């Protein structure tokens, strides 16, 4: 019987090749889109879950109460790990981790490479049991001069030689012995590194690490519990720990699951309220919707051919077929088409994954060697076949044989209302996706066009590595003489990356218990002229004033002046750990998120920062300026390959999340439109075929091609118009809710919905 079903199904599929191609093509596109989205979703859902003990690993987050609410940040005092290890029951291991200044130059013989690193206590591999290809994980970073490297770095440095006990140099001065080689970190892990260094090296390179107390947060603390049952008691103790050791600093640490960091990193009032998981859930819904659109196409096209299949049903029922056998016949047809579609979808998936990875800068891969991959694909094809074929099967098998054989039955008419509902549903989703794409792009452009407070064009930065740490002024002056730059200044970090801040600011008139977080950005001479920041009053730091480099003066931004409510800020004395005098006030600029208001900022003067910022000479070409900069860097700092970073590139990275959302909405919205239009094309072609005699008569009577096209399109365009009416209020609600996440946001305009409607009508 089953073999007979298969034969009949295959004959029906091959008999109507164009119909089957449209049906299978739409289904293949839907399947490929759905699988690609689900592969992307799985990539993020599996973040940091590669190790068997991952669910017992926790990060210590810190809640700090301020005037604007509770601020949550992923940084702790350096003493916290050892204190947790000593005072909290149920803790197997607590360690400190930091990537601050851990990256650098790794050299072996005459080969040098810029790589990323992590400082860690020796228990790192207890929390994250990486596969060791060489060495012993228990002792790998116990010695203060040891280094554990990844498999890729080992290949780069040593080729096929055994790396163990080989001596490498860090930043051309510190000799380290290779004590272990581990597999490369999976791309979907938060801690990415080329090497891991013992914490002792961090203390040797930065003396302040050993002296900072409980009021300073500069590292991450990770905790491995013996069992989840210890969590509640451990968390209670950690919450009291900071105030117990620093009574005048009102902060609270708490344990947060490490595996949730990637997806649930957004905090409000000290509690996790989501994060990337919201976007992931959106993509799950999008994947399901695209697949349903493809299934709806299948149902529409199958029921549209009901009149053609009615005689077949009538005859088969007349000779004794029951309804269940007919249902299985039609479902098997659907499953065969679905399996063929899955084969095509799988090929599309293989072709599209490399482009998708390049576009989104991720590493998706199909696990071809795992049996469950093929089980999922086959199951997915069969399930899709059942879903898409269920309604046509039950509908077609319900025909009454007497009416069919007498010729008084019109198969398509009873299914028409449902087909119309399905088409409206499809295009409602299509209009929504187009509207969302327009809205997201408008929001990105709105923020990008917002004044950022400094001139990012023509501004470049170079990290102060090697001899540049002491020769920043030398290279700035030499490049000025060579006319490659017009101004240069030292910054504690890139102007595009925020990070350092302080609560310890006192000023005249400050209310008791008033706590405001101030950004702390150390800058050198010529800060405003180099960055293009507008100085409102006072002066900037200068070599003419020795008090600047002695830490007795500061500059502040407008937001800081407003918070302190100083009538004449220049000349006012405030306290930042010690009394300092305000010498200049400048316009606010974007240092953190471009979607939020500028925070109050304080600047101390420094001559030795993390980067050298330089304003390129606009009178010369960028390439000639860069040539001079690169030659000068090689001459002054020969051990390090010169790397010049453009500030506008760094600023653009702030929009990566929104651009990703817009790109995915654009791609999969476009695919949803194509799938919907395939179904609409199939329905329109079938409608034209059914009315071929009418079209012939009308043409004989003088009807033009345009009028006939309008006649055939009218019914479908009515459905599209209904879809637009339904989609507009849904889009308004959804987009307004999305825009609430941004302090600076666009206002939804009528033309966005009108444009989305026009695009949909034009395509349809």
């Amino acid at each position: 019987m089953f073999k007979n079903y298969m034969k009949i199904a295959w004959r029906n599929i091959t008999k109507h090749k164009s119909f089957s191609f449209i049906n299978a093509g739409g289904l293949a596109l839907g399947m490929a889109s759905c699988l690609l989205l689900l592969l992307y979703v799985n990539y993020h859902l599996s973040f940091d879950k590669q190790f068997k003990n991952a669910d017992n690993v926790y990060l210590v987050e810190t809640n700090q109460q301020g005037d604007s609410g509770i601020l949550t940040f992923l940084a702790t005092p350096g003493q916290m790990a050892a204190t947790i290890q000593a005072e909290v029951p149920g803790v197997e291991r607590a360690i400190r981790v930091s990537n601050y200044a851990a990256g650098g130059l790794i050299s072996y013989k005459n080969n040098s490479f810029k790589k990323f690193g992590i400082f860690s206590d020796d228990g790192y591999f207890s929390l994250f049991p990486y596969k060791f290809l060489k060495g012993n994980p228990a002792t790998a970073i116990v010695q203060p001069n040891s280094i554990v490297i990844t498999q890729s770095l080992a290949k780069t440095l040593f080729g096929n030689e055994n790396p163990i006990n080989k001596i490498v140099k860090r930043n051309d001065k510190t000799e380290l012995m290779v004590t272990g080689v581990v597999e490369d970190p999976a791309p979907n892990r938060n801690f990415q590194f080329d090497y891991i260094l013992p914490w002792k090296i961090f203390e040797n390179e930065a003396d302040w690490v050993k002296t900072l107390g409980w009021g300073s947060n500069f590292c991450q603390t990770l905790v491995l519990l013996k069992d989840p049952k210890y969590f509640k008691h451990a968390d209670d103790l950690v919450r009291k720990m900071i105030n117990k050791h620093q009574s005048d600093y009102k902060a609270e640490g708490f344990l947060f699951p490490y595996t949730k960091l990637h997806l649930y990193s957004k905090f409000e009032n000290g509690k996790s309220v989501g994060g990337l998981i919201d976007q992931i859930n959106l993509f799950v819904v999008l994947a399901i919707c695209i697949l349903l659109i493809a299934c709806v196409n299948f149902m529409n096209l199958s029921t549209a051919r009901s009149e053609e299949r009615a005689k077949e049903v009538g005859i088969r029922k007349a000779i004794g077929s029951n309804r269940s056998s007919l249902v299985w016949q039609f479902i098997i047809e659907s499953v065969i088409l679905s399996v063929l579609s899955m084969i095509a979808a799988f090929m599309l998936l293989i072709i599209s994954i490399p482009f998708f990875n390049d576009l989104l800068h991720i590493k998706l891969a199909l696990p071809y060697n795992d049996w469950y991959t093929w089980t999922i694909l086959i199951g997915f094809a069969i399930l899709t076949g059942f879903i898409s074929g269920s309604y046509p099967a039950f509908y077609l098998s319900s025909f009454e044989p007497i009416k069919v054989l007498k010729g008084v039955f019109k198969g398509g008419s009873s299914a028409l209302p449902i087909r119309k509902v399905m088409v409206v549903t499809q295009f409602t989703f299509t209009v929504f996706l187009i509207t969302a794409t327009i809205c997201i792009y408008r929001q990105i452009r709105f923020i990008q066009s917002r004044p950022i407070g400094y001139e990012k064009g023509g501004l470049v930065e170079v990290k102060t590595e090697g001899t540049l740490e002491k020769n920043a002024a030398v290279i700035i002056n030499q490049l000025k003489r060579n006319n490659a730059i017009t101004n240069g200044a030292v910054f504690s970090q890139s102007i595009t990356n925020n990070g350092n801040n302080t609560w310890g600011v006192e000023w005249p008139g400050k209310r008791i218990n008033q706590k405001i977080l101030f950004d702390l950005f150390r800058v050198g001479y010529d800060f405003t002229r180099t960055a293009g920041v507008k100085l409102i009053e006072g002066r900037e730091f200068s070599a003419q004033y020795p008090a600047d480099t002695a830490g007795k003066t500061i500059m502040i931004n407008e937001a800081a002046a407003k918070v302190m409510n100083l009538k004449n800020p220049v000349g006012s004395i405030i306290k930042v750990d010690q009394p300092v005098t305000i010498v200049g006030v400048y316009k606010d600029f974007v240092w953190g998120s471009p979607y939020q208001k500028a925070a109050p900022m304080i600047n101390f003067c420094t001559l030795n920062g993390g980067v050298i910022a330089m304003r390129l000479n606009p009178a010369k070409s960028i390439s000639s300026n860069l040539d001079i900069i690169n030659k000068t860097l090689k001459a002054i700092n020969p051990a390090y390959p010169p790397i010049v970073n453009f500030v506008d590139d760094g600023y653009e990275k702030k929009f990566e999340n929104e651009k990703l959302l817009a790109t995915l909405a654009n791609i999969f919205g476009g695919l949803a439109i194509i799938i919907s239009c395939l179904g609409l094309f199939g329905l329109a072609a079938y409608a034209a075929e059914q009315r071929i005699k009418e079209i012939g008569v009308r043409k004989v009577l003088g009807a033009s091609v345009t009028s006939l096209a309008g006649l055939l399109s009218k019914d479908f365009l009515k459905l599209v118009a209904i879809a637009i009416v339904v989609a507009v209020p849904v889009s308004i609600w959804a987009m307004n809710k999305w825009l609430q996440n941004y302090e600076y946001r666009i206002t939804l305009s009528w033309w966005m919905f009108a444009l989305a409607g026009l695009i949909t009508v034009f395509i349809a």
Side-chain angles (χ1 to χ4, degrees):
M1 181 64 74
F2 181 75
K3 186 178 179 181
N4 188 46
Y5 285 162
M6 293 289 288
K7 281 184 178 179
I8 295 171
W10 183 251
R11 284 171 187 165
N12 274 308
I13 290 170
T14 54
K15 182 181 177 182
H16 304 279
K17 292 183 178 64
S18 59
F19 167 84
S20 299
F21 177 78
I22 292 173
N23 231 352
L27 210 53
L29 273 177
M31 284 178 167
S33 303
C34 181
L35 287 171
L36 191 57
L37 276 171
L38 293 179
L39 201 61
Y40 174 76
V41 167
N42 182 65
Y43 174 84
H44 286 285
L45 291 179
S46 60
F47 239 83
D48 293 315
K49 295 180 181 177
Q50 292 87 355
F51 302 119
K52 61 181 180 180
N53 63 345
D55 291 336
N56 291 340
V57 178
Y58 296 84
L59 281 155
V60 179
E61 297 263 9
T62 302
N63 281 337
Q64 174 68 59
Q65 180 68 53
D67 280 11
S68 56
I70 298 175
L71 177 70
T72 303
F73 49 88
L74 189 61
T76 64
Q79 296 89 336
M80 181 163 272
T83 307
I84 290 175
Q85 185 79 59
E87 298 180 2
V88 180
V91 172
E92 185 170 323
R93 196 73 173 89
I95 64 169
R96 298 165 294 183
V97 172
S98 176
N99 60 5
Y100 179 81
L105 197 71
I106 298 295
S107 308
Y108 178 68
K109 295 182 178 178
N110 295 323
N111 297 320
S112 300
F113 303 94
K114 292 285 291 293
K115 296 295 178 180
F116 298 100
I118 293 176
F119 294 116
S120 175
D121 287 321
D122 59 17
Y124 186 85
F125 297 110
S126 299
L127 276 71
F128 306 115
Y130 274 89
K131 180 181 178 182
F132 264 69
L133 307 176
K134 302 278 185 182
N136 184 354
T139 59
I141 51 174
V142 172
Q143 298 301 319
N145 66 331
S146 56
I147 180 174
V148 173
I149 62 177
T150 61
Q151 184 178 9
S152 296
L153 181 56
K155 188 72 175 175
T156 300
L157 289 173
F158 307 108
N160 295 324
E161 296 179 34
N162 184 0
I164 297 299
N165 297 330
K166 290 280 197 308
I167 303 298
V168 298
K169 266 191 175 183
R170 167 173 158 78
N171 293 334
D172 207 34
K173 55 185 178 182
T174 306
E175 291 191 344
L176 302 169
M177 179 185 291
V178 178
T179 53
V181 178
V182 297
E183 62 183 358
D184 293 346
N188 53 345
R189 287 189 56 79
N190 273 303
F191 288 123
Q192 294 291 320
F193 59 86
D194 296 304
Y195 56 84
I196 296 181
L197 300 170
W199 190 263
K200 190 66 178 176
I201 294 177
F202 192 15
E203 293 179 339
N204 292 339
E205 292 182 353
D207 292 337
W208 52 267
V209 173
K210 293 179 282 189
T211 59
L212 291 178
W214 281 86
S216 299
N217 303 294
F218 69 94
C219 67
Q220 296 179 20
T221 298
L222 291 102
V223 178
L224 174 63
L225 296 181
K226 295 176 181 176
D227 193 273
K229 67 182 181 182
Y230 294 108
F231 170 76
K232 181 69 173 64
H233 184 52
D235 186 57
D236 290 340
L237 293 176
V238 170
R239 287 180 182 272
K240 300 171 185 175
M241 193 167 287
I242 295 176
N243 289 332
K244 177 182 175 182
H245 292 85
Q246 181 98 1
S247 57
D248 60 337
Y249 180 59
K250 294 183 179 180
E252 178 186 73
F254 64 95
L255 297 180
F256 188 74
Y258 177 69
T259 54
K260 287 189 174 182
L261 178 65
H262 180 67
L263 296 176
Y264 298 88
S265 58
K266 182 181 178 183
F267 287 83
E268 290 180 4
N269 294 321
K271 294 182 180 179
S272 175
V273 294
L276 186 61
I277 188 64
D278 299 325
Q279 195 178 101
I280 295 303
N281 289 335
L282 179 65
F283 292 143
V284 171
V285 173
L286 182 60
I288 294 171
C289 287
I290 288 177
L291 184 61
L292 286 178
I293 285 176
C295 291
V296 165
N297 267 354
F298 190 99
M299 295 176 188
N300 276 344
L301 291 170
S302 297
T303 54
R305 289 182 60 232
S306 57
E307 193 171 334
E308 187 178 326
R309 303 292 298 268
K311 288 182 181 179
E312 176 192 344
V313 172
I315 292 170
R316 294 184 65 181
K317 278 192 170 184
I319 61 175
S321 292
N322 56 33
R323 188 176 182 185
S324 63
S325 65
L326 290 170
V327 167
W328 279 111
Q329 173 64 55
F330 292 125
I331 284 181
I332 287 172
E333 282 186 31
S334 301
V335 170
I336 291 174
L337 266 179
S338 181
V339 170
L340 292 174
S341 299
M342 175 55 76
I343 294 170
F346 186 73
M347 294 171 67
L348 286 172
L349 201 60
I350 293 172
I351 294 169
S352 59
I353 282 177
F355 295 101
F356 201 69
N357 285 339
D358 290 341
L359 183 67
L360 303 183
H361 307 296
I362 57 176
K363 293 182 180 179
L364 299 183
L366 269 173
Y368 301 105
N369 298 327
D370 296 327
W371 62 268
Y372 65 81
T373 302
W374 302 104
T375 304
I376 290 171
L377 291 175
I378 294 168
F380 188 75
I382 293 172
L383 179 63
T384 304
F386 267 95
I387 293 172
S388 56
S390 57
Y391 173 70
F394 284 102
Y395 171 70
L396 293 171
S397 64
S398 68
F399 297 166
E400 297 180 28
I402 295 175
K403 289 184 179 180
V404 171
L405 296 175
K406 283 184 176 181
V408 295
F409 176 79
K410 288 291 182 183
S413 59
S414 58
L416 195 57
I418 296 177
R419 287 215 306 275
K420 287 182 176 179
V421 169
M422 290 178 176
V423 171
V424 168
T425 303
Q426 279 183 314
F427 278 91
T428 297
F429 184 65
T430 299
V431 173
F432 170 74
L433 282 176
I434 295 173
T435 305
T437 303
I438 294 171
C439 182
I440 293 168
Y441 274 116
R442 286 286 299 169
Q443 173 67 8
I444 293 172
R445 284 221 303 267
F446 174 75
I447 297 298
Q448 286 176 326
S449 62
R450 172 194 167 200
I452 64 173
Y454 63 88
E455 297 174 16
K456 62 181 187 295
L459 185 62
V460 297
E461 293 175 337
V462 176
K463 286 187 177 181
T464 51
E465 300 168 309
T467 59
L468 293 184
E469 293 178 12
K470 297 179 180 179
N471 293 318
V474 173
I475 193 168
I476 289 172
N477 291 330
Q478 187 167 333
L479 290 172
K480 279 184 179 179
R481 287 195 299 271
N482 293 337
N483 292 320
I485 65 172
T486 56
N487 292 100
V490 174
F491 296 165
S492 58
Q493 63 197 80
S494 172
I495 197 170
T496 61
N497 298 328
N498 67 334
N500 293 335
N501 47 50
T502 181
W503 298 93
V505 181
E506 306 286 338
W507 62 88
K510 182 181 180 181
R511 300 190 307 273
I512 298 174
N513 296 326
Q514 185 180 8
K515 295 191 74 64
I516 294 176
L517 188 67
F518 284 75
D519 284 335
L520 194 60
F521 186 35
R522 299 180 183 275
V523 299
Y525 304 144
D526 290 334
F527 156 57
T528 61
R529 285 191 289 269
T530 300
V533 174
K534 184 177 180 182
L535 189 66
I536 298 174
E537 57 179 305
R539 64 174 178 84
E540 65 176 327
F541 299 129
S542 170
Q544 299 175 10
Y545 300 91
D548 292 349
T549 51
K552 296 179 180 180
T553 62
I554 60 170
M555 295 174 67
I556 62 173
N557 66 352
E558 279 183 298
K562 289 177 183 176
V563 162
M564 291 186 282
N565 197 26
L566 301 173
K567 291 184 179 179
N568 298 300
V570 174
S572 297
I573 298 175
I574 66 172
K575 189 176 180 182
V576 187
D577 295 329
Q578 62 179 5
V580 291
T581 303
I582 299 172
V583 298
V585 181
Y586 56 85
K587 277 266 188 193
D588 294 338
F589 66 85
V590 175
W591 199 44
S593 170
Y595 299 100
Q596 297 174 349
K597 291 180 180 177
M601 177 180 281
I602 288 175
N603 307 100
F604 281 95
C605 184
T606 183
L607 299 181
N608 298 304
V611 300
I612 302 172
M614 295 173 283
R615 173 70 55 188
L616 297 179
N617 186 352
K620 300 174 68 176
S621 68
I622 293 176
S623 59
S624 62
N625 288 332
L626 291 179
D627 285 342
I628 296 171
I629 292 173
N630 286 329
K631 288 176 183 176
T632 307
L633 288 172
K634 285 179 181 178
I636 294 178
N637 199 28
Y640 287 79
I643 299 176
V644 181
N645 299 309
F646 284 81
V647 168
D648 49 5
D649 291 339
Y651 185 77
E652 285 301 307
K653 290 181 180 178
K654 294 177 181 287
F655 305 98
E656 282 184 347
N657 190 51
E658 284 70 27
K659 285 182 176 179
L660 169 64
L661 186 61
T663 300
L664 291 177
N666 213 1
I667 291 171
F668 292 102
L671 288 171
I673 293 169
I674 292 170
I675 295 167
S676 298
C677 289
L678 273 175
L680 198 61
F681 173 76
L683 288 174
Y686 185 76
E689 187 180 331
Q690 293 296 96
R691 300 172 70 177
I692 193 165
K693 288 183 180 178
E694 177 190 346
I695 293 170
V697 172
R698 286 179 179 274
K699 290 198 81 171
V700 168
L701 295 175
S704 65
V705 174
T706 305
S707 64
L708 289 173
L711 178 69
L712 293 172
S713 302
K714 183 175 63 177
D715 290 338
F716 295 110
L717 290 178
K718 283 180 183 177
L719 300 179
V720 174
I722 295 170
I724 293 170
V725 172
V726 174
V728 167
V730 174
S731 301
I732 291 173
W733 172 80
M735 290 297 97
N736 270 323
K737 190 172 181 180
W738 178 72
L739 287 169
Q740 294 305 313
N741 295 321
Y742 305 101
E743 194 167 350
Y744 291 96
R745 54 182 178 265
I746 61 170
T747 302
L748 294 177
S749 301
W750 64 268
W751 67 264
M752 296 180 185
F753 307 103
L755 180 60
L758 284 173
I759 291 171
T760 307
V761 169
F762 176 76
I763 294 170

